[in-house]
Amino acid sequence: MTFELFSDIFTFRDNALRRLDPRVKVVVGLVAIFAVVSSQGVLFPALVFSLALMGMLLVGLPVAFMLGRFLAPLGTVLILFLLHAVLYGWTPLFSLPLFGQRVVIMQEGVLRGMHLACRVLGGFGIMVLLSSVTPSHQIFHALAYFKAPKGWLEVAMMMYRYIFVILESAADAMAAQRVRLGYCGLKRSLNSLGVLSGVVIVKSLEQAQRTHEAMLARGYKGHTPFGPMPALSPKDGWTLGLSLGVLIGLYLATEGWVFG
Amino acid sequence: MNGKNKLLWFFLFVSAFVFFPRVSFAMHISEGILPLKWALFWFVLAVPFLYLGLVRLRRLTESSSQAIPMVGLVGSAVFIISCMPIPIPVAGSCSHPVGSGLAAIIIGPSLSVVVSSIALLLQALFLAHGGLSTLGANIFSMGVAGSFVAYGVFWLMVRVGFGWMAAAFMAGLLSDWATYAVTSLELSSALHGGSGAFGPMFVSILLAFAPTQVPLGILEGVLCAMAYAFVRARRFDLLGVFEKGGAT
């Protein structure tokens, strides 16, 4: 079963970014991402990507993991870059022979494609870094602090926790199906996947009943209380101010420079 | 752009999608693809549906404290099902079902939007599928379009007198295709880059996804029908908790 690695396995390593207050990381991450997608030039997203890449290397994320994470968006970026290069623009840059025809590459399209590529890399870099230095429970805690709806958070925490429990049952059932040659040919594969999906849902419903009884026994009243978050330490406050200052400064300098 | 160029970029684009199997994950719009105004636009469209789902969740919770674990656990199950690789015979690669159609017919469309929003956030953060700025667009295509189309088709077909197996099949099929169509619309509206290019961009994205998504939709329909049949045969009684609490 090709279930992939959750990035938050790296959050259990101790490093400076890991020790930062999750509220600081969530705010800085979101500001950086929305600044990247609002940028009009390539320089700001490229700088953000470079900073994120440095952060990822500093906290010791394996290069293979980073490449794996960036493979899917890079594939999409490559295709959209090609599309823009030939579809968009009015100034021919050069032409390439393809199956007896000539494909004209447009200057404006290439610039637009590069901008898109930088935006994707910048945004993705921040997202991967954020999830690699912030455990999920801290992200949920920060979201609770920022007044995310209680019901949504409750379901989110429940879902996150039980994904791994149900995954084990699903993996066991799939292994049993494989042993019985359940994945030989499309028809049998589909039949096995259908049964497996049903098994997963039934197991999840039965688990929900057991979980609910266990929660009731521990005094569950429809929501799990979050403990209060401590006030930001001076170090976290400085980090927040400095990070936002750097981001805003870079944004103004690069976007102004591009259009100035 | 001349006619020859149009033909060639179209060929290039379609072949690129076919030859890059990783792009079969492309029902998730990646982080950074949408510019800010489009990212916010899809967030604004998705929020009322999410609110509707949260209201429904609150009503269910008021009638039974079992609702949260039930919705959470079904959400986990659908998250796992949506990660299962399905072999695509035409594209020669594996892809993943959307899962929101199955969720919608089991827990209802508005709760399915809530579950989808959480699944999409977890996938974006911890699996790098999708994105945070594109979360609104992804919730709208997979959560809202996928869930409401699936539930509407299922409800209508059962009312008209079709068997629930056929209804579940069509719900899975059409939820996948609705997600695919709305994702194409979201991408083309944000990326067409000027007057006149929206149409070609929309058609090219639709056609580019087609080798994966057309067979995937049919296979998702089969998967949805079989999974629903299994739940119905074994523990249909457990779904009773989702009947309480009023409207969808």
Side-chain angles (χ1 to χ4, degrees):
Chain A
M1 202 177 277
T2 58
F3 291 114
E4 290 159 87
L5 212 57
F6 269 55
S7 335
D8 67 344
I9 57 161
F10 298 108
T11 59
F12 298 101
R13 295 174 172 184
D14 185 45
N15 55 59
L17 286 177
R18 165 70 178 80
R19 287 190 295 270
L20 268 181
D21 188 289
R23 290 167 292 184
V24 173
K25 288 183 272 189
V26 168
V27 168
V28 173
L30 287 179
V31 168
I33 283 174
F34 279 93
V36 162
V37 293
S38 71
S39 69
Q40 302 294 315
V42 295
L43 204 53
F44 180 73
L47 279 171
V48 169
F49 174 62
S50 311
L51 290 173
L53 194 61
M54 272 167 50
M56 284 186 263
L57 291 171
L58 281 174
V59 299
L61 287 190
V63 176
F65 168 79
M66 288 194 277
L67 284 177
R69 280 291 184 260
F70 279 92
L71 201 61
L74 279 178
T76 312
V77 162
L78 180 65
I79 290 157
L80 290 171
F81 179 80
L82 289 174
L83 179 69
H84 278 100
V86 286
L87 176 63
Y88 181 76
W90 46 89
T91 316
L93 199 61
F94 59 91
S95 62
L96 293 167
L98 185 71
F99 299 106
Q101 304 279 347
R102 294 202 77 77
V103 182
V104 183
I105 305 294
M106 302 292 185
Q107 187 181 329
E108 293 79 8
V110 169
L111 289 174
R112 213 176 136 87
M114 278 170 61
H115 177 221
L116 189 65
C118 287
R119 247 175 32 200
V120 170
L121 288 175
F124 242 87
I126 292 293
M127 205 168 72
V128 172
L129 182 62
L130 174 68
S131 62
S132 305
V133 295
T134 320
S136 54
H137 69 274
Q138 288 194 356
I139 292 182
F140 292 135
H141 206 168
L143 290 176
Y145 178 83
F146 293 123
K147 307 283 180 218
K150 274 184 186 167
W152 187 91
L153 274 174
E154 193 79 12
V155 174
M157 289 191 303
M158 191 71 73
M159 261 180 80
Y160 181 81
R161 182 178 166 204
Y162 278 96
I163 280 170
F164 302 99
V165 176
I166 302 202
L167 189 58
E168 282 218 11
S169 307
D172 289 346
M174 197 178 205
Q177 285 178 325
R178 273 194 204 286
V179 169
R180 292 169 178 78
L181 303 179
Y183 291 92
C184 296
L186 181 68
K187 198 178 164 194
R188 288 191 74 163
S189 296
L190 211 54
N191 185 42
S192 300
L193 276 176
V195 170
L196 182 63
S197 305
V199 167
V200 166
I201 289 174
V202 167
K203 277 191 180 287
S204 73
L205 290 168
E206 289 171 348
Q207 178 67 51
Q209 271 195 326
R210 288 195 295 273
T211 303
H212 178 239
E213 282 161 15
M215 286 159 78
L216 283 181
R218 289 165 178 78
Y220 182 67
K221 297 260 188 310
H223 70 275
T224 310
F226 278 100
M229 285 200 101
L232 277 188
S233 69
K235 190 184 86 180
D236 289 328
W238 276 106
T239 309
L240 176 67
L242 196 66
S243 310
L244 291 180
V246 168
L247 274 175
I248 293 167
L250 280 178
Y251 185 85
L252 291 176
T254 53
E255 294 296 296
W257 177 74
V258 167
F259 290 104
Chain B
M1 183 176 50
N2 59 34
K4 277 181 190 171
N5 228 22
K6 267 187 188 172
L7 186 75
L8 284 169
W9 70 251
F10 173 72
F11 174 76
L12 192 73
F13 192 46
V14 172
S15 355
F17 266 90
V18 173
F19 294 124
F20 281 93
R22 285 286 300 185
V23 180
S24 52
F25 288 122
M27 299 306 285
H28 296 79
I29 300 178
S30 294
E31 178 56 61
I33 295 266
L34 299 181
L36 184 65
K37 68 172 182 179
W38 283 105
L40 293 177
F41 174 77
W42 293 111
F43 264 113
V44 169
L45 281 193
V47 162
F49 294 95
L50 199 51
Y51 177 76
L52 195 70
L54 290 172
V55 169
R56 165 99 174 114
L57 183 65
R58 198 177 62 222
R59 279 192 202 156
L60 274 179
T61 313
E62 280 164 4
S63 64
S64 160
S65 62
Q66 201 180 3
I68 295 268
M70 280 289 190
V71 174
L73 270 285
V74 170
S76 307
V78 173
F79 182 96
I80 289 166
I81 291 167
S82 74
C83 292
M84 287 177 181
I86 295 186
I88 305 294
V90 182
S93 64
C94 278
S95 194
H96 300 261
V98 176
S100 54
L102 182 59
I105 62 175
I106 289 178
I107 62 176
S110 51
L111 284 179
S112 174
V113 176
V114 175
V115 162
S116 300
S117 69
I118 297 165
L120 287 164
L121 178 72
L122 295 178
Q123 285 175 341
L125 277 175
F126 302 116
L127 295 173
H129 290 173
L132 296 179
S133 68
T134 55
L135 192 61
N138 286 330
I139 291 174
F140 195 81
S141 60
M142 292 190 211
V144 177
S147 302
F148 279 89
V149 166
Y151 188 79
V153 167
F154 185 79
W155 182 85
L156 196 68
M157 285 183 72
V158 170
R159 280 286 164 100
V160 167
F162 284 93
W164 49 261
M165 192 87 171
F169 169 77
M170 287 307 289
L173 173 99
L174 292 177
S175 87
D176 188 282
W177 285 355
T179 301
Y180 150 53
V182 174
T183 305
S184 305
L185 177 77
E186 289 170 344
L187 281 173
S188 51
S189 57
L191 301 176
H192 68 84
S195 58
F198 172 77
M201 180 72 100
F202 179 64
V203 172
S204 65
I205 291 176
L206 265 186
L207 288 171
F209 276 122
T212 306
Q213 290 304 324
V214 171
L216 179 63
I218 297 167
L219 298 179
E220 178 149 7
V222 175
L223 194 72
C224 187
M226 292 186 70
Y228 188 69
F230 190 91
V231 176
R232 217 181 146 87
R234 302 294 168 98
R235 294 302 306 268
F236 197 63
D237 56 304
L238 290 177
L239 299 181
V241 70
F242 302 115
E243 301 296 324
K244 297 169 194 162
T248 61

